[in-house]
Amino acid sequence: MLKNKILLKISGSIAAYKSAYLISKLVQNGFEVQTVATESALRFIGKATLEGLTGKPVMTDSFADGEMMSHINLVKWADIVVLAPASANTINKLSAGIGDNLLTSLFLAHDWSKPYLIAPAMNTNMYQHPATTDALNKLRSWGVIILPTASGHLACGDIGKGKLLDPDMIFERIESLLKQNTMLHSNGIKVLITSGGTRENIDGVRYLSNLSTGKTGAVIADALIKSGYDITYLHSIDAALPAGVCRKIEFSDFRNLDSLIQSELKNNFNAVIHLAAVSDFSVSQLILNGETKSIPLKEKITSSVEEISLVMKPNYKIVDRIKDYSINKNLLLFSFKFTNGGNIEPVIEKQFRQSKSDYIIHNDLKSRMNNTQTSFGIYKEKFLIDTVKTSGELGNKIVGLIQKNK
């Protein structure tokens, strides 16, 4: 019995010949491989080579006879998608949402519960171009796994970054991801994690936000992924991302996050870990030189404006509504409370009462800065039940608490 099904995409790069070695190694190790190639890729490597190695026809055309629904069927068939080599042109198309051939259309139909791996290969200047850099960052934020390039002599004669990573290393990464993805669904427990800080836009370049980096959320997500949990990770635009394979969804402001949580909790999650630092206030009015403007202002406020006034309106507490949003009325809720000094007991008691949280994790900025308290306190029913020093320890504690309550 073959191990896994691998959809290997090949785009137009002179490094396409290296895909033959990768395919050969995958097939020899018991993997089933289906290739999809762009027309430009077939100028560098022939169909006969690819078909001979895989035992399957190369797919290139969304409109070929019998391939009308291939962009949907192949996504369902594959356990992992690998784009190697990935040219600058294809990378930039993917990030822009362009589906002008079978390879790019497949990306638009991708099932994000499955790993998507990209191995770039191009000239150094193309690799370091701002368009390519931005495209790779955007793809990474969506959950695409971007492999590094190798450095050395390039086909064009230059020396530098952009060389396709050694196929043996790509093979090892594929094996690792498939093992990880098998574990991802091993215990059937689904957890929704929110992480990072909301942004309340003022104009085209300015917004109000907070200090949240999302690093704690990413560490906790990885702890759960390693333990076999099925994770959906709602994260802010610049938040840290887990290294493990999970479904990643980006949020922007308070309204957007609230809407996403409501939508996701129509699915049957077992637990929610709500770490996101949510704005207590949103901008309701922007007044420039006495004139009220629509929020958010699309253009940048110029330096010629002499007086700016922001009117803020309070937001409701999303955490107080999570259990009401959920179709699972036995949902386990972990909420976080971030403080900066003061008496914590009444604050914790109020959050338990209003949010109906099962556990609250407390983190105090002032105590951490003064090194007078461990990083996280774990509360249940108003009582402190444990303390941990690091995000990694906290992640493992949460794993244990979910197991205890399942």
Side-chain angles (χ1 to χ4, degrees):
M1 182 177 176
L2 295 174
K3 289 182 180 178
N4 288 98
K5 301 178 180 68
I6 298 173
L7 183 60
L8 183 65
K9 299 178 177 182
I10 305 168
S11 61
S13 164
I14 198 168
Y17 75 93
K18 295 184 179 180
S19 63
Y21 174 85
L22 177 59
I23 294 167
S24 178
K25 185 162 185 173
L26 288 166
V27 171
Q28 288 175 33
N29 282 272
F31 294 99
E32 184 178 358
V33 181
Q34 172 65 62
T35 55
V36 173
T38 62
E39 292 294 340
S40 56
L42 296 177
R43 293 176 178 266
F44 294 101
I45 187 168
K47 281 188 177 183
T49 300
L50 298 174
E51 291 181 8
L53 291 169
T54 63
K56 296 175 180 292
V58 183
M59 303 188 77
T60 59
D61 185 1
S62 301
F63 299 101
D65 289 345
E67 295 182 19
M68 297 300 183
M69 295 302 292
S70 55
H71 62 294
I72 301 298
N73 295 332
L74 283 173
V75 167
K76 293 178 180 177
W77 172 85
D79 296 310
I80 187 172
V81 181
V82 182
L83 173 54
S87 66
N89 183 50
T90 297
I91 286 170
N92 283 289
K93 281 184 179 180
L94 296 184
S95 73
I98 295 171
D100 61 349
N101 56 40
L102 178 57
L103 188 152
T104 53
S105 295
L106 280 164
F107 180 72
L108 292 177
H110 181 63
D111 176 357
W112 290 100
S113 67
K114 301 176 182 181
Y116 196 107
L117 186 69
I118 286 181
M122 65 200 73
N123 170 269
T124 302
N125 290 336
M126 297 174 76
Y127 182 64
Q128 295 178 337
H129 192 281
T132 308
T133 300
D134 287 350
L136 289 171
N137 286 336
K138 183 188 288 188
L139 292 170
R140 194 177 286 111
S141 76
W142 292 345
V144 176
I145 298 155
I146 309 294
L147 293 181
T149 62
S151 296
H153 288 274
L154 304 176
C156 60
D158 291 346
I159 299 175
K161 294 181 178 180
K163 191 175 181 180
L164 182 70
L165 191 66
D166 186 280
D168 285 319
M169 297 180 72
I170 298 174
F171 173 83
E172 290 173 5
R173 192 72 171 106
I174 292 170
E175 271 202 321
S176 173
L177 286 168
L178 285 169
K179 288 177 183 175
Q180 193 178 81
N181 207 43
T182 299
M183 283 190 63
L184 180 70
H185 304 287
S186 63
N187 65 22
I189 297 176
K190 295 178 65 176
V191 180
L192 177 68
I193 299 177
T194 69
S195 185
T198 54
R199 292 181 173 186
E200 303 304 317
N201 290 320
I202 298 172
D203 66 6
V205 298
R206 298 178 180 89
Y207 56 85
L208 299 175
S209 191
N210 50 63
L211 297 175
S212 178
T213 63
K215 290 179 181 178
T216 298
V219 172
I220 291 172
D222 275 325
L224 269 66
I225 291 167
K226 289 176 183 177
S227 297
Y229 292 84
D230 187 345
I231 302 300
T232 295
Y233 189 73
L234 295 185
H235 64 93
S236 59
I237 295 168
D238 293 328
L241 299 176
V245 177
C246 67
R247 185 164 163 253
K248 302 180 180 77
I249 303 172
E250 187 178 277
F251 65 78
S252 53
D253 58 12
F254 168 84
R255 291 291 175 190
N256 180 227
L257 173 60
D258 187 43
S259 175
L260 286 170
I261 291 175
Q262 288 187 60
S263 176
E264 288 300 317
L265 289 181
K266 291 176 182 176
N267 301 307
N268 192 25
F269 282 92
N270 301 93
V272 171
I273 303 172
H274 184 54
L275 294 97
V278 184
S279 301
D280 290 322
F281 297 87
S282 293
V283 181
S284 61
Q285 280 189 323
L286 172 64
I287 304 170
L288 305 180
N289 293 335
E291 182 181 353
T292 302
K293 300 289 186 179
S294 298
I295 290 291
L297 197 65
K298 291 184 179 180
E299 64 271 15
K300 177 186 175 184
I301 300 170
T302 67
S303 58
S304 61
V305 174
E306 295 181 357
E307 185 177 275
I308 300 175
S309 297
L310 297 178
V311 179
M312 311 291 289
K313 65 176 180 179
N315 294 321
Y316 51 81
K317 297 289 186 182
I318 292 176
V319 69
D320 295 348
R321 303 187 177 198
I322 285 178
K323 287 203 170 184
D324 292 331
Y325 290 160
S326 176
I327 63 167
N328 177 14
K329 297 310 172 185
N330 296 313
L331 181 79
L332 189 65
L333 175 59
F334 295 81
S335 65
F336 279 64
K337 190 64 185 179
F338 186 68
T339 59
N340 190 20
N343 186 7
I344 182 59
E345 281 75 16
V347 176
I348 292 290
E349 184 176 353
K350 180 181 178 183
Q351 184 156 314
F352 267 116
R353 185 174 64 254
Q354 294 184 343
S355 70
K356 301 180 179 63
S357 296
D358 296 280
Y359 295 93
I360 293 176
I361 292 93
H362 172 235
N363 188 12
D364 187 76
L365 177 63
K366 191 172 184 178
S367 297
R368 287 176 62 191
M369 296 294 288
N370 295 333
N371 293 318
T372 60
Q373 179 180 302
T374 51
S375 294
F376 302 98
I378 304 173
Y379 288 78
K380 181 175 175 58
E381 296 176 351
K382 302 183 293 184
F383 301 106
L384 180 67
I385 62 169
D386 210 343
T387 57
V388 294
K389 292 184 177 181
T390 68
S391 299
E393 291 176 23
L394 178 60
N396 292 331
K397 287 288 183 183
I398 291 175
V399 168
L401 291 171
I402 293 175
Q403 290 289 340
K404 181 181 177 181
N405 286 274
K406 73 176 183 179

